[in-house]
Each structure stands twice: as structure tokens, then as C-alpha cells.
Amino acid sequence: MNGVEGLGSDELAELATLIHGIPLHSLQLADTAVSDAAVAQLAGTDIAQLGLPRTRVSDNGVAALQEIHSLIQVHLTGTGITNAGVHTLS
């Protein structure tokens, strides 16, 4: 999934319900309306790579990203996540 501008918290909640328990290699949400609240819907899912470039995710969403325990790689270019937020992920 990529480039769906209208994708927000409600839609991501539905998607998270569908993929819960299913290992995903990659979920690309670049250029969407995904926010911190939307990322929180992914907590507990099994995603290895998550693409969030040019989304509305900020440092407030970092805690939710930490709840995706299978996450190996996350792309954050163009988000509101600061260097301090990135350091808490590593």
C-alpha cells in the first residue's frame, strides 16, 4: 500500500485488524495522512519494514513504533520525528 492520501487512523485501524497475527515483510504508507494516532493502531502487529516517509508522524508516535517488536527497519524521511525521537528507537 503506498500513496493513499486519505489513509488515516480509522482506515489504519481496520488494516491493523486484518493483518494482526500475519507476518508482513513490508508496509509502505508514504505520502498518506498517517499520524501518531494512526501508528498506534499498528502496535502489536508483525511488520519487519515500515515506510512512513512524508507522513504526519512525530516524536509522539515513537512509543507506538516501539510496540512493533518485529520492526527491523523504519523509513522516517519527511516526518516530524526529531533526532531525539530517532535515538529512542535505536
Side-chain angles (χ1 to χ4, degrees):
M1 180 175 293
N2 193 5
V4 183
E5 291 183 20
L7 186 71
S9 295
D10 293 340
E11 293 82 9
L12 203 52
E14 284 185 44
L15 179 62
T17 300
L18 292 172
I19 65 172
H20 199 76
I22 300 171
L24 286 184
H25 175 70
S26 178
L27 179 60
Q28 300 300 319
L29 300 170
D31 300 309
T32 63
V34 169
S35 65
D36 299 325
V39 168
Q41 301 296 325
L42 296 174
T45 58
D46 189 4
I47 302 169
Q49 296 178 351
L50 181 59
L52 296 170
R54 298 169 305 282
T55 60
R56 298 176 185 165
V57 179
S58 72
D59 285 347
N60 294 326
V62 169
L65 291 173
Q66 292 173 318
E67 293 302 316
I68 305 172
H69 301 292
S70 57
L71 195 58
I72 297 168
Q73 187 176 46
V74 61
H75 301 276
L76 301 170
T77 304
T79 65
I81 296 180
T82 65
N83 286 339
V86 169
H87 286 305
T88 62
L89 284 173
S90 44

PDB file of all heavy atoms in Angstrom, residues 1-13 15 27-40 42 50-58 65 75-80:
ATOM      1  N   MET A   1       0.860  -1.157   0.000  1.00  0.00           N
ATOM      2  CA  MET A   1       0.000   0.000   0.000  1.00  0.00           C
ATOM      3  C   MET A   1       0.905   1.218   0.000  1.00  0.00           C
ATOM      4  O   MET A   1       1.823   1.318   0.781  1.00  0.00           O
ATOM      5  CB  MET A   1      -0.891  -0.020   1.237  1.00  0.00           C
ATOM      6  CG  MET A   1      -1.824   1.153   1.330  1.00  0.00           C
ATOM      7  SD  MET A   1      -2.956   1.009   2.719  1.00  0.00           S
ATOM      8  CE  MET A   1      -3.908  -0.372   2.176  1.00  0.00           C
ATOM      9  N   ASN A   2       0.663   2.153  -0.883  1.00  0.00           N
ATOM     10  CA  ASN A   2       1.520   3.321  -0.969  1.00  0.00           C
ATOM     11  C   ASN A   2       0.763   4.468  -1.610  1.00  0.00           C
ATOM     12  O   ASN A   2       0.037   4.272  -2.575  1.00  0.00           O
ATOM     13  CB  ASN A   2       2.765   2.994  -1.786  1.00  0.00           C
ATOM     14  CG  ASN A   2       3.839   4.042  -1.657  1.00  0.00           C
ATOM     15  OD1 ASN A   2       3.717   4.980  -0.879  1.00  0.00           O
ATOM     16  ND2 ASN A   2       4.889   3.880  -2.423  1.00  0.00           N
ATOM     17  N   GLY A   3       0.924   5.674  -1.074  1.00  0.00           N
ATOM     18  CA  GLY A   3       0.381   6.870  -1.690  1.00  0.00           C
ATOM     19  C   GLY A   3      -1.112   7.051  -1.551  1.00  0.00           C
ATOM     20  O   GLY A   3      -1.731   7.707  -2.366  1.00  0.00           O
ATOM     21  N   VAL A   4      -1.719   6.500  -0.536  1.00  0.00           N
ATOM     22  CA  VAL A   4      -3.147   6.656  -0.310  1.00  0.00           C
ATOM     23  C   VAL A   4      -3.343   7.846   0.625  1.00  0.00           C
ATOM     24  O   VAL A   4      -3.283   7.704   1.839  1.00  0.00           O
ATOM     25  CB  VAL A   4      -3.777   5.375   0.286  1.00  0.00           C
ATOM     26  CG1 VAL A   4      -5.279   5.529   0.436  1.00  0.00           C
ATOM     27  CG2 VAL A   4      -3.444   4.178  -0.569  1.00  0.00           C
ATOM     28  N   GLU A   5      -3.542   9.025   0.075  1.00  0.00           N
ATOM     29  CA  GLU A   5      -3.565  10.240   0.876  1.00  0.00           C
ATOM     30  C   GLU A   5      -4.635  10.253   1.955  1.00  0.00           C
ATOM     31  O   GLU A   5      -4.460  10.825   3.010  1.00  0.00           O
ATOM     32  CB  GLU A   5      -3.710  11.466  -0.027  1.00  0.00           C
ATOM     33  CG  GLU A   5      -2.476  11.705  -0.868  1.00  0.00           C
ATOM     34  CD  GLU A   5      -2.589  12.944  -1.709  1.00  0.00           C
ATOM     35  OE1 GLU A   5      -3.415  13.820  -1.391  1.00  0.00           O
ATOM     36  OE2 GLU A   5      -1.847  13.044  -2.688  1.00  0.00           O
ATOM     37  N   GLY A   6      -5.770   9.631   1.729  1.00  0.00           N
ATOM     38  CA  GLY A   6      -6.853   9.666   2.686  1.00  0.00           C
ATOM     39  C   GLY A   6      -6.738   8.660   3.817  1.00  0.00           C
ATOM     40  O   GLY A   6      -7.591   8.580   4.679  1.00  0.00           O
ATOM     41  N   LEU A   7      -5.673   7.884   3.814  1.00  0.00           N
ATOM     42  CA  LEU A   7      -5.496   6.864   4.846  1.00  0.00           C
ATOM     43  C   LEU A   7      -5.179   7.535   6.177  1.00  0.00           C
ATOM     44  O   LEU A   7      -4.212   8.260   6.301  1.00  0.00           O
ATOM     45  CB  LEU A   7      -4.352   5.920   4.460  1.00  0.00           C
ATOM     46  CG  LEU A   7      -4.155   4.731   5.378  1.00  0.00           C
ATOM     47  CD1 LEU A   7      -5.293   3.733   5.205  1.00  0.00           C
ATOM     48  CD2 LEU A   7      -2.836   4.056   5.074  1.00  0.00           C
ATOM     49  N   GLY A   8      -6.025   7.295   7.163  1.00  0.00           N
ATOM     50  CA  GLY A   8      -5.839   7.882   8.489  1.00  0.00           C
ATOM     51  C   GLY A   8      -6.054   6.845   9.567  1.00  0.00           C
ATOM     52  O   GLY A   8      -5.983   5.639   9.331  1.00  0.00           O
ATOM     53  N   SER A   9      -6.369   7.301  10.768  1.00  0.00           N
ATOM     54  CA  SER A   9      -6.492   6.419  11.926  1.00  0.00           C
ATOM     55  C   SER A   9      -7.554   5.343  11.744  1.00  0.00           C
ATOM     56  O   SER A   9      -7.320   4.179  12.058  1.00  0.00           O
ATOM     57  CB  SER A   9      -6.812   7.240  13.176  1.00  0.00           C
ATOM     58  OG  SER A   9      -5.753   8.082  13.498  1.00  0.00           O
ATOM     59  N   ASP A  10      -8.722   5.714  11.256  1.00  0.00           N
ATOM     60  CA  ASP A  10      -9.804   4.735  11.109  1.00  0.00           C
ATOM     61  C   ASP A  10      -9.439   3.641  10.115  1.00  0.00           C
ATOM     62  O   ASP A  10      -9.643   2.452  10.382  1.00  0.00           O
ATOM     63  CB  ASP A  10     -11.100   5.419  10.672  1.00  0.00           C
ATOM     64  CG  ASP A  10     -11.669   6.331  11.740  1.00  0.00           C
ATOM     65  OD1 ASP A  10     -11.305   6.161  12.928  1.00  0.00           O
ATOM     66  OD2 ASP A  10     -12.473   7.216  11.396  1.00  0.00           O
ATOM     67  N   GLU A  11      -8.888   4.053   8.988  1.00  0.00           N
ATOM     68  CA  GLU A  11      -8.528   3.079   7.962  1.00  0.00           C
ATOM     69  C   GLU A  11      -7.367   2.198   8.412  1.00  0.00           C
ATOM     70  O   GLU A  11      -7.365   0.985   8.165  1.00  0.00           O
ATOM     71  CB  GLU A  11      -8.155   3.804   6.657  1.00  0.00           C
ATOM     72  CG  GLU A  11      -9.316   4.523   6.004  1.00  0.00           C
ATOM     73  CD  GLU A  11      -9.603   5.906   6.603  1.00  0.00           C
ATOM     74  OE1 GLU A  11      -8.800   6.409   7.431  1.00  0.00           O
ATOM     75  OE2 GLU A  11     -10.641   6.475   6.263  1.00  0.00           O
ATOM     76  N   LEU A  12      -6.415   2.795   9.100  1.00  0.00           N
ATOM     77  CA  LEU A  12      -5.286   2.002   9.576  1.00  0.00           C
ATOM     78  C   LEU A  12      -5.713   1.050  10.686  1.00  0.00           C
ATOM     79  O   LEU A  12      -5.181  -0.049  10.805  1.00  0.00           O
ATOM     80  CB  LEU A  12      -4.149   2.908  10.043  1.00  0.00           C
ATOM     81  CG  LEU A  12      -2.769   2.280  10.055  1.00  0.00           C
ATOM     82  CD1 LEU A  12      -2.422   1.635   8.719  1.00  0.00           C
ATOM     83  CD2 LEU A  12      -1.715   3.291  10.422  1.00  0.00           C
ATOM     84  N   ALA A  13      -6.699   1.437  11.470  1.00  0.00           N
ATOM     85  CA  ALA A  13      -7.238   0.537  12.497  1.00  0.00           C
ATOM     86  C   ALA A  13      -7.853  -0.695  11.831  1.00  0.00           C
ATOM     87  O   ALA A  13      -7.651  -1.826  12.298  1.00  0.00           O
ATOM     88  CB  ALA A  13      -8.277   1.258  13.348  1.00  0.00           C
ATOM     89  N   LEU A  15      -7.053  -1.875   8.848  1.00  0.00           N
ATOM     90  CA  LEU A  15      -5.950  -2.626   8.275  1.00  0.00           C
ATOM     91  C   LEU A  15      -5.216  -3.417   9.359  1.00  0.00           C
ATOM     92  O   LEU A  15      -4.900  -4.587   9.178  1.00  0.00           O
ATOM     93  CB  LEU A  15      -4.974  -1.686   7.561  1.00  0.00           C
ATOM     94  CG  LEU A  15      -3.753  -2.337   6.933  1.00  0.00           C
ATOM     95  CD1 LEU A  15      -4.161  -3.329   5.851  1.00  0.00           C
ATOM     96  CD2 LEU A  15      -2.818  -1.287   6.366  1.00  0.00           C
ATOM     97  N   LEU A  27       5.314  -2.785   4.926  1.00  0.00           N
ATOM     98  CA  LEU A  27       4.097  -1.977   4.799  1.00  0.00           C
ATOM     99  C   LEU A  27       4.551  -0.553   4.510  1.00  0.00           C
ATOM    100  O   LEU A  27       5.235   0.063   5.321  1.00  0.00           O
ATOM    101  CB  LEU A  27       3.263  -2.021   6.081  1.00  0.00           C
ATOM    102  CG  LEU A  27       1.972  -1.193   6.083  1.00  0.00           C
ATOM    103  CD1 LEU A  27       1.015  -1.652   4.983  1.00  0.00           C
ATOM    104  CD2 LEU A  27       1.304  -1.255   7.445  1.00  0.00           C
ATOM    105  N   GLN A  28       4.195  -0.058   3.332  1.00  0.00           N
ATOM    106  CA  GLN A  28       4.623   1.270   2.895  1.00  0.00           C
ATOM    107  C   GLN A  28       3.441   2.231   2.949  1.00  0.00           C
ATOM    108  O   GLN A  28       2.446   2.026   2.268  1.00  0.00           O
ATOM    109  CB  GLN A  28       5.206   1.201   1.477  1.00  0.00           C
ATOM    110  CG  GLN A  28       6.406   0.280   1.358  1.00  0.00           C
ATOM    111  CD  GLN A  28       7.558   0.696   2.253  1.00  0.00           C
ATOM    112  OE1 GLN A  28       7.869   1.881   2.387  1.00  0.00           O
ATOM    113  NE2 GLN A  28       8.191  -0.270   2.889  1.00  0.00           N
ATOM    114  N   LEU A  29       3.572   3.252   3.768  1.00  0.00           N
ATOM    115  CA  LEU A  29       2.488   4.221   3.972  1.00  0.00           C
ATOM    116  C   LEU A  29       2.922   5.646   3.603  1.00  0.00           C
ATOM    117  O   LEU A  29       2.374   6.622   4.104  1.00  0.00           O
ATOM    118  CB  LEU A  29       2.020   4.166   5.426  1.00  0.00           C
ATOM    119  CG  LEU A  29       1.481   2.816   5.877  1.00  0.00           C
ATOM    120  CD1 LEU A  29       1.280   2.786   7.386  1.00  0.00           C
ATOM    121  CD2 LEU A  29       0.192   2.489   5.154  1.00  0.00           C
ATOM    122  N   ALA A  30       3.890   5.752   2.717  1.00  0.00           N
ATOM    123  CA  ALA A  30       4.423   7.054   2.308  1.00  0.00           C
ATOM    124  C   ALA A  30       3.320   7.934   1.725  1.00  0.00           C
ATOM    125  O   ALA A  30       2.387   7.447   1.074  1.00  0.00           O
ATOM    126  CB  ALA A  30       5.524   6.868   1.266  1.00  0.00           C
ATOM    127  N   ASP A  31       3.438   9.240   1.992  1.00  0.00           N
ATOM    128  CA  ASP A  31       2.542  10.239   1.410  1.00  0.00           C
ATOM    129  C   ASP A  31       1.080  10.028   1.779  1.00  0.00           C
ATOM    130  O   ASP A  31       0.189  10.259   0.963  1.00  0.00           O
ATOM    131  CB  ASP A  31       2.701  10.283  -0.121  1.00  0.00           C
ATOM    132  CG  ASP A  31       4.108  10.627  -0.536  1.00  0.00           C
ATOM    133  OD1 ASP A  31       4.641  11.636  -0.039  1.00  0.00           O
ATOM    134  OD2 ASP A  31       4.694   9.872  -1.334  1.00  0.00           O
ATOM    135  N   THR A  32       0.852   9.551   2.982  1.00  0.00           N
ATOM    136  CA  THR A  32      -0.518   9.369   3.468  1.00  0.00           C
ATOM    137  C   THR A  32      -0.766  10.324   4.631  1.00  0.00           C
ATOM    138  O   THR A  32       0.141  11.010   5.085  1.00  0.00           O
ATOM    139  CB  THR A  32      -0.755   7.918   3.949  1.00  0.00           C
ATOM    140  OG1 THR A  32       0.092   7.653   5.059  1.00  0.00           O
ATOM    141  CG2 THR A  32      -0.503   6.910   2.835  1.00  0.00           C
ATOM    142  N   ALA A  33      -1.972  10.341   5.120  1.00  0.00           N
ATOM    143  CA  ALA A  33      -2.340  11.185   6.263  1.00  0.00           C
ATOM    144  C   ALA A  33      -2.088  10.478   7.590  1.00  0.00           C
ATOM    145  O   ALA A  33      -2.618  10.879   8.619  1.00  0.00           O
ATOM    146  CB  ALA A  33      -3.810  11.583   6.150  1.00  0.00           C
ATOM    147  N   VAL A  34      -1.277   9.433   7.577  1.00  0.00           N
ATOM    148  CA  VAL A  34      -0.982   8.677   8.792  1.00  0.00           C
ATOM    149  C   VAL A  34      -0.349   9.590   9.833  1.00  0.00           C
ATOM    150  O   VAL A  34       0.598  10.316   9.554  1.00  0.00           O
ATOM    151  CB  VAL A  34      -0.068   7.472   8.475  1.00  0.00           C
ATOM    152  CG1 VAL A  34       0.464   6.830   9.732  1.00  0.00           C
ATOM    153  CG2 VAL A  34      -0.835   6.455   7.649  1.00  0.00           C
ATOM    154  N   SER A  35      -0.893   9.526  11.042  1.00  0.00           N
ATOM    155  CA  SER A  35      -0.446  10.371  12.155  1.00  0.00           C
ATOM    156  C   SER A  35       0.012   9.484  13.310  1.00  0.00           C
ATOM    157  O   SER A  35       0.007   8.260  13.217  1.00  0.00           O
ATOM    158  CB  SER A  35      -1.605  11.255  12.616  1.00  0.00           C
ATOM    159  OG  SER A  35      -2.633  10.420  13.144  1.00  0.00           O
ATOM    160  N   ASP A  36       0.373  10.134  14.417  1.00  0.00           N
ATOM    161  CA  ASP A  36       0.765   9.391  15.619  1.00  0.00           C
ATOM    162  C   ASP A  36      -0.350   8.453  16.076  1.00  0.00           C
ATOM    163  O   ASP A  36      -0.101   7.308  16.438  1.00  0.00           O
ATOM    164  CB  ASP A  36       1.117  10.357  16.749  1.00  0.00           C
ATOM    165  CG  ASP A  36       2.285  11.260  16.395  1.00  0.00           C
ATOM    166  OD1 ASP A  36       3.207  10.807  15.691  1.00  0.00           O
ATOM    167  OD2 ASP A  36       2.273  12.420  16.827  1.00  0.00           O
ATOM    168  N   ALA A  37      -1.573   8.941  16.064  1.00  0.00           N
ATOM    169  CA  ALA A  37      -2.716   8.120  16.487  1.00  0.00           C
ATOM    170  C   ALA A  37      -2.896   6.923  15.564  1.00  0.00           C
ATOM    171  O   ALA A  37      -3.214   5.824  16.013  1.00  0.00           O
ATOM    172  CB  ALA A  37      -3.981   8.968  16.516  1.00  0.00           C
ATOM    173  N   ALA A  38      -2.671   7.126  14.284  1.00  0.00           N
ATOM    174  CA  ALA A  38      -2.811   6.024  13.329  1.00  0.00           C
ATOM    175  C   ALA A  38      -1.721   4.979  13.547  1.00  0.00           C
ATOM    176  O   ALA A  38      -1.995   3.775  13.521  1.00  0.00           O
ATOM    177  CB  ALA A  38      -2.766   6.568  11.903  1.00  0.00           C
ATOM    178  N   VAL A  39      -0.486   5.427  13.778  1.00  0.00           N
ATOM    179  CA  VAL A  39       0.613   4.490  14.015  1.00  0.00           C
ATOM    180  C   VAL A  39       0.337   3.652  15.260  1.00  0.00           C
ATOM    181  O   VAL A  39       0.683   2.470  15.314  1.00  0.00           O
ATOM    182  CB  VAL A  39       1.958   5.250  14.125  1.00  0.00           C
ATOM    183  CG1 VAL A  39       3.063   4.351  14.644  1.00  0.00           C
ATOM    184  CG2 VAL A  39       2.345   5.812  12.771  1.00  0.00           C
ATOM    185  N   ALA A  40      -0.314   4.231  16.245  1.00  0.00           N
ATOM    186  CA  ALA A  40      -0.647   3.496  17.468  1.00  0.00           C
ATOM    187  C   ALA A  40      -1.514   2.275  17.156  1.00  0.00           C
ATOM    188  O   ALA A  40      -1.477   1.282  17.894  1.00  0.00           O
ATOM    189  CB  ALA A  40      -1.344   4.416  18.462  1.00  0.00           C
ATOM    190  N   LEU A  42      -1.002   0.218  14.898  1.00  0.00           N
ATOM    191  CA  LEU A  42      -0.134  -0.872  14.444  1.00  0.00           C
ATOM    192  C   LEU A  42       0.600  -1.574  15.574  1.00  0.00           C
ATOM    193  O   LEU A  42       1.270  -2.579  15.343  1.00  0.00           O
ATOM    194  CB  LEU A  42       0.881  -0.328  13.434  1.00  0.00           C
ATOM    195  CG  LEU A  42       0.307   0.206  12.130  1.00  0.00           C
ATOM    196  CD1 LEU A  42       1.408   0.843  11.288  1.00  0.00           C
ATOM    197  CD2 LEU A  42      -0.404  -0.896  11.358  1.00  0.00           C
ATOM    198  N   LEU A  50       8.685  -0.809   7.828  1.00  0.00           N
ATOM    199  CA  LEU A  50       7.567   0.126   7.799  1.00  0.00           C
ATOM    200  C   LEU A  50       8.024   1.429   7.163  1.00  0.00           C
ATOM    201  O   LEU A  50       8.994   2.041   7.606  1.00  0.00           O
ATOM    202  CB  LEU A  50       7.060   0.385   9.222  1.00  0.00           C
ATOM    203  CG  LEU A  50       5.877   1.325   9.381  1.00  0.00           C
ATOM    204  CD1 LEU A  50       4.651   0.819   8.621  1.00  0.00           C
ATOM    205  CD2 LEU A  50       5.551   1.503  10.858  1.00  0.00           C
ATOM    206  N   GLY A  51       7.351   1.822   6.104  1.00  0.00           N
ATOM    207  CA  GLY A  51       7.683   3.058   5.406  1.00  0.00           C
ATOM    208  C   GLY A  51       6.697   4.158   5.773  1.00  0.00           C
ATOM    209  O   GLY A  51       5.508   4.029   5.506  1.00  0.00           O
ATOM    210  N   LEU A  52       7.209   5.212   6.389  1.00  0.00           N
ATOM    211  CA  LEU A  52       6.366   6.337   6.807  1.00  0.00           C
ATOM    212  C   LEU A  52       6.822   7.680   6.231  1.00  0.00           C
ATOM    213  O   LEU A  52       6.513   8.720   6.797  1.00  0.00           O
ATOM    214  CB  LEU A  52       6.340   6.428   8.333  1.00  0.00           C
ATOM    215  CG  LEU A  52       5.719   5.239   9.062  1.00  0.00           C
ATOM    216  CD1 LEU A  52       5.987   5.339  10.557  1.00  0.00           C
ATOM    217  CD2 LEU A  52       4.235   5.175   8.780  1.00  0.00           C
ATOM    218  N   PRO A  53       7.560   7.708   5.118  1.00  0.00           N
ATOM    219  CA  PRO A  53       8.032   8.993   4.605  1.00  0.00           C
ATOM    220  C   PRO A  53       6.882   9.949   4.297  1.00  0.00           C
ATOM    221  O   PRO A  53       5.841   9.536   3.786  1.00  0.00           O
ATOM    222  CB  PRO A  53       8.774   8.644   3.318  1.00  0.00           C
ATOM    223  CG  PRO A  53       9.016   7.189   3.362  1.00  0.00           C
ATOM    224  CD  PRO A  53       7.961   6.602   4.249  1.00  0.00           C
ATOM    225  N   ARG A  54       7.125  11.205   4.633  1.00  0.00           N
ATOM    226  CA  ARG A  54       6.181  12.297   4.325  1.00  0.00           C
ATOM    227  C   ARG A  54       4.789  12.035   4.900  1.00  0.00           C
ATOM    228  O   ARG A  54       3.781  12.277   4.262  1.00  0.00           O
ATOM    229  CB  ARG A  54       6.143  12.560   2.821  1.00  0.00           C
ATOM    230  CG  ARG A  54       7.503  13.018   2.287  1.00  0.00           C
ATOM    231  CD  ARG A  54       7.593  13.035   0.787  1.00  0.00           C
ATOM    232  NE  ARG A  54       7.264  11.765   0.134  1.00  0.00           N
ATOM    233  CZ  ARG A  54       8.082  10.718   0.052  1.00  0.00           C
ATOM    234  NH1 ARG A  54       9.281  10.760   0.592  1.00  0.00           N
ATOM    235  NH2 ARG A  54       7.706   9.621  -0.580  1.00  0.00           N
ATOM    236  N   THR A  55       4.773  11.505   6.129  1.00  0.00           N
ATOM    237  CA  THR A  55       3.514  11.342   6.858  1.00  0.00           C
ATOM    238  C   THR A  55       3.491  12.343   8.006  1.00  0.00           C
ATOM    239  O   THR A  55       4.427  13.121   8.173  1.00  0.00           O
ATOM    240  CB  THR A  55       3.380   9.902   7.418  1.00  0.00           C
ATOM    241  OG1 THR A  55       4.468   9.639   8.297  1.00  0.00           O
ATOM    242  CG2 THR A  55       3.343   8.872   6.284  1.00  0.00           C
ATOM    243  N   ARG A  56       2.455  12.313   8.804  1.00  0.00           N
ATOM    244  CA  ARG A  56       2.285  13.251   9.914  1.00  0.00           C
ATOM    245  C   ARG A  56       2.795  12.697  11.248  1.00  0.00           C
ATOM    246  O   ARG A  56       2.478  13.223  12.300  1.00  0.00           O
ATOM    247  CB  ARG A  56       0.811  13.618  10.043  1.00  0.00           C
ATOM    248  CG  ARG A  56       0.288  14.316   8.808  1.00  0.00           C
ATOM    249  CD  ARG A  56      -1.177  14.590   8.919  1.00  0.00           C
ATOM    250  NE  ARG A  56      -1.661  15.161   7.669  1.00  0.00           N
ATOM    251  CZ  ARG A  56      -2.919  15.248   7.341  1.00  0.00           C
ATOM    252  NH1 ARG A  56      -3.851  14.813   8.169  1.00  0.00           N
ATOM    253  NH2 ARG A  56      -3.267  15.774   6.192  1.00  0.00           N
ATOM    254  N   VAL A  57       3.591  11.646  11.183  1.00  0.00           N
ATOM    255  CA  VAL A  57       4.108  11.020  12.397  1.00  0.00           C
ATOM    256  C   VAL A  57       5.170  11.938  13.021  1.00  0.00           C
ATOM    257  O   VAL A  57       6.009  12.505  12.325  1.00  0.00           O
ATOM    258  CB  VAL A  57       4.701   9.630  12.088  1.00  0.00           C
ATOM    259  CG1 VAL A  57       5.258   8.984  13.338  1.00  0.00           C
ATOM    260  CG2 VAL A  57       3.631   8.743  11.467  1.00  0.00           C
ATOM    261  N   SER A  58       5.116  12.065  14.350  1.00  0.00           N
ATOM    262  CA  SER A  58       6.057  12.916  15.087  1.00  0.00           C
ATOM    263  C   SER A  58       6.684  12.113  16.225  1.00  0.00           C
ATOM    264  O   SER A  58       6.453  10.912  16.354  1.00  0.00           O
ATOM    265  CB  SER A  58       5.333  14.137  15.640  1.00  0.00           C
ATOM    266  OG  SER A  58       4.488  13.758  16.713  1.00  0.00           O
ATOM    267  N   LEU A  65       5.698   3.005  17.713  1.00  0.00           N
ATOM    268  CA  LEU A  65       6.622   2.262  16.859  1.00  0.00           C
ATOM    269  C   LEU A  65       7.402   1.239  17.670  1.00  0.00           C
ATOM    270  O   LEU A  65       7.699   0.141  17.184  1.00  0.00           O
ATOM    271  CB  LEU A  65       7.585   3.228  16.153  1.00  0.00           C
ATOM    272  CG  LEU A  65       6.967   4.136  15.099  1.00  0.00           C
ATOM    273  CD1 LEU A  65       7.998   5.146  14.604  1.00  0.00           C
ATOM    274  CD2 LEU A  65       6.409   3.329  13.942  1.00  0.00           C
ATOM    275  N   HIS A  75      11.335   3.745   7.782  1.00  0.00           N
ATOM    276  CA  HIS A  75      11.723   4.898   6.955  1.00  0.00           C
ATOM    277  C   HIS A  75      10.940   6.110   7.439  1.00  0.00           C
ATOM    278  O   HIS A  75       9.707   6.110   7.420  1.00  0.00           O
ATOM    279  CB  HIS A  75      11.434   4.622   5.480  1.00  0.00           C
ATOM    280  CG  HIS A  75      12.156   3.421   4.968  1.00  0.00           C
ATOM    281  ND1 HIS A  75      13.456   3.465   4.533  1.00  0.00           N
ATOM    282  CD2 HIS A  75      11.766   2.139   4.851  1.00  0.00           C
ATOM    283  CE1 HIS A  75      13.834   2.257   4.165  1.00  0.00           C
ATOM    284  NE2 HIS A  75      12.822   1.428   4.353  1.00  0.00           N
ATOM    285  N   LEU A  76      11.666   7.164   7.856  1.00  0.00           N
ATOM    286  CA  LEU A  76      11.040   8.315   8.509  1.00  0.00           C
ATOM    287  C   LEU A  76      11.324   9.646   7.812  1.00  0.00           C
ATOM    288  O   LEU A  76      11.033  10.695   8.365  1.00  0.00           O
ATOM    289  CB  LEU A  76      11.512   8.393   9.966  1.00  0.00           C
ATOM    290  CG  LEU A  76      11.215   7.162  10.818  1.00  0.00           C
ATOM    291  CD1 LEU A  76      11.943   7.245  12.147  1.00  0.00           C
ATOM    292  CD2 LEU A  76       9.718   7.010  11.013  1.00  0.00           C
ATOM    293  N   THR A  77      11.848   9.630   6.610  1.00  0.00           N
ATOM    294  CA  THR A  77      12.164  10.860   5.898  1.00  0.00           C
ATOM    295  C   THR A  77      10.924  11.732   5.760  1.00  0.00           C
ATOM    296  O   THR A  77       9.855  11.261   5.378  1.00  0.00           O
ATOM    297  CB  THR A  77      12.711  10.537   4.487  1.00  0.00           C
ATOM    298  OG1 THR A  77      13.827   9.675   4.623  1.00  0.00           O
ATOM    299  CG2 THR A  77      13.099  11.802   3.743  1.00  0.00           C
ATOM    300  N   GLY A  78      11.065  13.002   6.103  1.00  0.00           N
ATOM    301  CA  GLY A  78       9.958  13.941   5.908  1.00  0.00           C
ATOM    302  C   GLY A  78       8.866  13.854   6.959  1.00  0.00           C
ATOM    303  O   GLY A  78       7.781  14.379   6.761  1.00  0.00           O
ATOM    304  N   THR A  79       9.143  13.182   8.071  1.00  0.00           N
ATOM    305  CA  THR A  79       8.174  13.137   9.177  1.00  0.00           C
ATOM    306  C   THR A  79       8.545  14.206  10.193  1.00  0.00           C
ATOM    307  O   THR A  79       9.542  14.899  10.042  1.00  0.00           O
ATOM    308  CB  THR A  79       8.171  11.761   9.878  1.00  0.00           C
ATOM    309  OG1 THR A  79       9.436  11.559  10.505  1.00  0.00           O
ATOM    310  CG2 THR A  79       7.880  10.631   8.895  1.00  0.00           C
ATOM    311  N   GLY A  80       7.769  14.296  11.251  1.00  0.00           N
ATOM    312  CA  GLY A  80       8.065  15.225  12.335  1.00  0.00           C
ATOM    313  C   GLY A  80       8.911  14.610  13.429  1.00  0.00           C
ATOM    314  O   GLY A  80       9.051  15.191  14.499  1.00  0.00           O
TER     315      GLY A  80
END
